[in-house]
Amino acid sequence: MSAWECPFCGRLAVFDSIKKKSDSFYVSGDTKFGPLLFESFVAVCPNQDCKEFTYDTRVSTVKLEGGSYKPVELIERWVNRPNGLYKQFPDYVPKPILDDYKEAVLIKNLSPKASATLSRRCLQGMIRHAWDVKPARLVDEIKAIEGQIESSVWKAIDAVRNIGNIGAHMENDINIIVDVDPGEAEMLIGLLELLIQEWYVEKHERQLRIDAITALAAEKKALKQAK
Ligand SMILES: [Zn+2]
């Protein structure tokens, strides 16, 4: 029995227990691979709190066997959902932040400058939401959280702030579109991923551990008093 890991909630499920749907079609075209078989698969996560679905497509060479077409050799596979390009973060991360992050990733290659603009807006949104700062220019907001956040994380933000055009324009309106190369856009995205992980995911998990310990201690105390 093979295991299936839900890319949305991270839970493992027995492969046979997930709801699957598939469909296929045969293409008789004279391609360099010969005739082709296209197959689509939908899988539904059995976790009641999740119920997300994945969708992928495969194209293979094909043979006729027992009256039906069977895939022989896989040529290519596309994961349509989730889009494998961006990281899946839990939905307790505020939606506007996740939306800007995802869009910044999706358009990174097509338009690095649009991507960098969204990333700067996302960065500012996170600083304002996670830390109590007075709205100002992004550069001042970054300065304002120095000392409040872990110094290695602040250094990473400051390092990105010092890069070429991105840096210059953090001092101006964040919505001004500036020319950046894909490498710079990528660096901003890496920073967003680091901060979402640090400021939301780790914080949330830490709180869960604290709550669990506090609850356990209260339970032990109650048991002791009941004796
Ligand atoms: Zn799931």
Side-chain angles (χ1 to χ4, degrees):
M1 262 187 301
S2 55
W4 179 83
E5 185 181 353
C6 173
F8 291 91
C9 67
R11 292 261 195 102
L12 290 173
V14 176
F15 191 74
D16 296 328
S17 76
I18 56 176
K19 281 184 210 129
K20 297 177 289 277
K21 268 258 179 311
S22 62
D23 204 353
S24 66
F25 64 92
Y26 171 82
V27 176
S28 64
D30 182 24
T31 76
K32 67 190 256 193
F33 304 99
L36 302 170
L37 186 69
F38 283 81
E39 299 169 284
S40 290
F41 299 86
V42 174
V44 183
C45 178
N47 173 6
Q48 285 301 304
D49 297 328
C50 176
K51 290 186 170 184
E52 268 289 357
F53 69 93
T54 63
Y55 170 43
D56 69 273
T57 310
R58 291 166 214 181
V59 57
S60 318
T61 59
V62 60
K63 69 174 178 196
L64 190 61
E65 196 180 271
S68 62
Y69 294 111
K70 296 269 192 284
V72 179
E73 204 163 316
L74 182 71
I75 299 168
E76 212 162 321
R77 175 180 177 223
W78 301 273
V79 177
N80 306 300
R81 181 183 166 84
N83 184 308
L85 296 170
Y86 51 75
K87 289 193 179 167
Q88 297 297 320
F89 287 108
D91 52 15
Y92 53 74
V93 179
K95 194 172 178 294
I97 288 168
L98 287 183
D99 286 349
D100 277 353
Y101 159 69
K102 285 181 190 170
E103 209 169 326
V105 174
L106 290 175
I107 57 166
K108 184 189 70 192
N109 293 321
L110 199 63
S111 171
K113 55 186 176 182
S115 171
T117 305
L118 280 163
S119 287
R120 282 180 298 155
R121 188 170 82 174
C122 183
L123 174 63
Q124 186 167 54
M126 263 196 281
I127 291 175
R128 287 183 183 176
H129 180 259
W131 307 93
D132 197 19
V133 295
K134 212 167 76 215
R137 295 178 309 168
L138 182 54
V139 64
D140 296 321
E141 294 183 9
I142 291 171
K143 281 177 188 153
I145 58 170
E146 185 178 11
Q148 284 193 62
I149 68 170
E150 206 193 308
S151 73
S152 59
V153 175
W154 192 83
K155 277 181 193 148
I157 300 174
D158 200 47
V160 171
R161 188 183 66 79
N162 281 313
I163 296 165
N165 272 332
I166 301 172
H169 288 272
M170 279 186 180
E171 309 200 356
N172 296 311
D173 184 350
I174 57 153
N175 291 311
I176 291 172
I177 295 170
V178 291
D179 256 325
V180 296
D181 62 46
E184 289 177 294
E186 174 84 55
M187 217 151 5
L188 271 170
I189 286 165
L191 179 66
L192 297 181
E193 288 171 350
L194 171 87
L195 297 179
I196 294 172
Q197 186 67 28
E198 290 272 332
W199 292 352
Y200 294 97
V201 181
E202 313 240 310
K203 205 168 151 193
H204 180 85
E205 282 170 5
R206 183 169 172 268
Q207 192 58 50
L208 289 182
R209 289 196 296 273
I210 291 170
D211 291 348
I213 291 168
T214 312
L216 191 66
E219 207 178 289
K220 292 267 183 233
K221 195 180 170 192
L223 272 175
K224 224 173 176 182
Q225 280 168 347
K227 272 183 195 168

